[in-house]
Amino acid sequence: MQEIWSIVMVISGALFIAGVFPIAYERAPVWREADDAIFRTEFARTLRRVDRLQPALLLISLIAAVGFAVSRGGTARILAAAAAACFVAVLIGSGLALVPIQRRLIDPGTNLSTAEAGRLRGRWLKGHLIRTVVSLVAFVLLVVAAV
């Protein structure tokens, strides 16, 4: 059973970070410079693609990290538990901070002023950068725990 937790933990963690990192690396700089209409259109299109899979991968990574931590001892347990804590932080931060911003930005019925849209965009980009860094730390912890 330990090997299954290890495999699921690393693969789901890799798939999760593979979805989060490109947005921070490739899309965020483009979105930062785009005008509001283009940003909101592109942002909504990207979210439609990634928002279906990313939460599931995050939950699978979290459950696998906990399962791995419970089935192991010593340093591997501590590293997997730390990774799980990072995933919990990402889950809570995304749900409480980023998802409400996303909904306001992509809702076509929301009339946001340019200043408000810019403020929300800046908060989301900063929050996503934090989510990316925490997720990357979690993934590194998972890999180190598994080896």
Side-chain angles (χ1 to χ4, degrees), residues 12-63:
S12 62
L15 291 171
F16 178 71
I17 196 65
V20 172
F21 187 77
I23 292 172
Y25 179 74
E26 189 232 326
R27 298 306 312 151
V30 172
W31 288 342
R32 195 171 284 113
E33 301 301 322
D35 70 43
D36 286 339
I38 291 173
F39 163 71
R40 290 176 77 181
T41 301
E42 291 295 318
F43 186 69
R45 183 178 302 130
T46 299
L47 288 181
R48 276 193 302 274
R49 280 185 254 140
V50 300
D51 263 9
R52 294 179 188 163
L53 188 56
Q54 287 304 102
L57 289 171
L58 177 57
L59 287 174
I60 292 167
S61 299
L62 172 59
I63 291 166

Side-chain angles (χ1 to χ4, degrees), residues 2-146:
Q2 290 178 352
E3 289 75 25
I4 292 173
W5 286 124
S6 179
I7 291 167
V8 171
M9 178 179 75
V10 171
I11 290 174
S12 62
L15 291 171
F16 178 71
I17 196 65
V20 172
F21 187 77
I23 292 172
Y25 179 74
E26 189 232 326
R27 298 306 312 151
V30 172
W31 288 342
R32 195 171 284 113
E33 301 301 322
D35 70 43
D36 286 339
I38 291 173
F39 163 71
R40 290 176 77 181
T41 301
E42 291 295 318
F43 186 69
R45 183 178 302 130
T46 299
L47 288 181
R48 276 193 302 274
R49 280 185 254 140
V50 300
D51 263 9
R52 294 179 188 163
L53 188 56
Q54 287 304 102
L57 289 171
L58 177 57
L59 287 174
I60 292 167
S61 299
L62 172 59
I63 291 166
V66 169
F68 181 89
V70 168
S71 71
R72 295 287 170 104
T75 304
R77 172 179 281 179
I78 294 167
L79 293 172
C86 289
F87 286 138
V88 167
V90 168
L91 185 64
I92 291 170
S94 294
L96 293 179
L98 296 180
V99 170
I101 294 170
Q102 289 170 196
R103 288 185 178 148
R104 287 193 65 201
L105 286 170
I106 66 172
D107 183 1
T110 304
N111 286 329
L112 297 173
S113 68
T114 302
E116 179 67 5
R119 186 182 69 75
L120 290 172
R121 178 192 334 199
R123 284 182 56 206
W124 190 90
L125 290 170
K126 181 179 176 183
H128 184 72
L129 179 60
I130 293 167
R131 173 172 50 192
T132 302
V133 170
V134 173
S135 298
L136 191 54
V137 167
F139 180 66
V140 169
L141 291 170
L142 294 179
V143 170
V144 174

